[in-house]
Amino acid sequence: MSADLSNPIFQDVDKARAYLEAQRWPNGPTCPHCGNADPDAIRALKGKAHRPGVYQCNACREQFTVTVGTVFERSKIPLNKWLLATHLMCSSKKGISAHQLHRMLGITYKTAWFMAHRIREAMREDVATAGPLGGEGKVVEADETYFGKTDIQPKTRTSGKPFSKGGRRGPTGKRAVVGLVERGGKVRTFHVEKATKESVREILVQNASRKSTLHTDESKLYVETGKEFDAHHSVRHSAGEYARGDVHSNTIEGVFSVFKRGMRGVYQHCGEAHLHRYLTEFDFRYNRRTALGMSDRERTDDALKGIEGKRLTYRRIGEASIC
């Protein structure tokens, strides 16, 4: 798939369906109902009463299309528009707004907004199977940042930042985001209700190998947890120190910079209930960035591979996810 928006898979629903089938079923159709992949037991229904792309499994007698069992299921939006929306989200470093998708795809804003969230669901990676960041001889950088105002009133929510650089108090009523990045590798970011020693430690020990060297700033959040890693080095931002040899947290700072520029310049507003989905989107693109040898096509194909086994309905889309 080229970056040319005139590519037939973005213009023709039949070519889009054939492309998606090749991505999801490289060895031929597989029944999403019973898992049958025997080509002799699956047939394409080509009668006048059937729409294009319908198959029937002779093992369980169920009918299906390539979108069944995916985030695209039960959508009336043509598949070519789904592929174009996925490509645009995967190839735009700071994202693309639902208003822009609505204009480019010729659909309503509400539909574009829902599509974007379903594509973000496809971008969601299984952390449990991906394994920890870092490892022996590798550096993991950790930091926290604060973005936007919390939707929860101060009466029911304490300060988002009890202590930070040099022990000073931080912003109250801000949304806290904790980020970990393997230097030269992948990133994981998490929205937490409150950045504390306990919440930060839980994220670190669950997502980073303790054989790693941990690099942070001077925040007290990492002092005790840092002792559990092979080594812990920090820089003193409060003293104007941002690097000491190869000790720095500039990589994770750069990740946060792209995220904030995208959220302020492209998306402009994000309800707290949806923040984890936007973090997923930015993580997905960073983990498949050009510096790691990934092209826009490969990034889009990875997102299309991620549609399987996931569903996102209007009812579920408003559910918050705070670590």
Side-chain angles (χ1 to χ4, degrees), residues 82 152 242:
W82 273 112
I152 304 175
Y242 292 90

Side-chain angles (χ1 to χ4, degrees), residues 100-116:
Q100 187 65 27
L101 287 175
H102 130 72
R103 289 189 291 267
M104 294 183 71
L105 301 181
I107 55 180
T108 66
Y109 167 72
K110 183 178 181 180
T111 298
W113 183 87
F114 187 35
M115 282 181 74

Side-chain angles (χ1 to χ4, degrees), residues 165-203:
K165 324 307 177 194
R168 296 190 301 276
R169 292 278 173 174
T172 300
K174 292 280 189 177
R175 303 170 189 174
V177 175
V178 176
L180 312 177
V181 63
E182 179 182 317
R183 193 169 293 173
K186 295 188 174 183
V187 69
R188 292 178 191 171
T189 53
F190 305 87
H191 172 35
V192 294
E193 181 178 350
K194 184 177 176 182
T196 63
K197 290 180 180 179
E198 293 75 20
S199 63
V200 168
R201 180 189 179 277
E202 183 178 2
I203 289 172

Side-chain angles (χ1 to χ4, degrees), residues 258-274:
V258 172
F259 168 71
K260 289 184 176 181
R261 280 182 283 163
M263 296 303 292
R264 289 170 179 156
V266 177
Y267 294 120
Q268 300 182 20
H269 172 76
C270 165
E272 189 167 10
H274 308 303

Side-chain angles (χ1 to χ4, degrees), residues 271-284:
E272 189 167 10
H274 308 303
L275 180 56
H276 66 292
R277 301 194 190 282
Y278 289 90
L279 289 169
T280 291
E281 176 189 347
F282 281 87
D283 285 358
F284 179 89

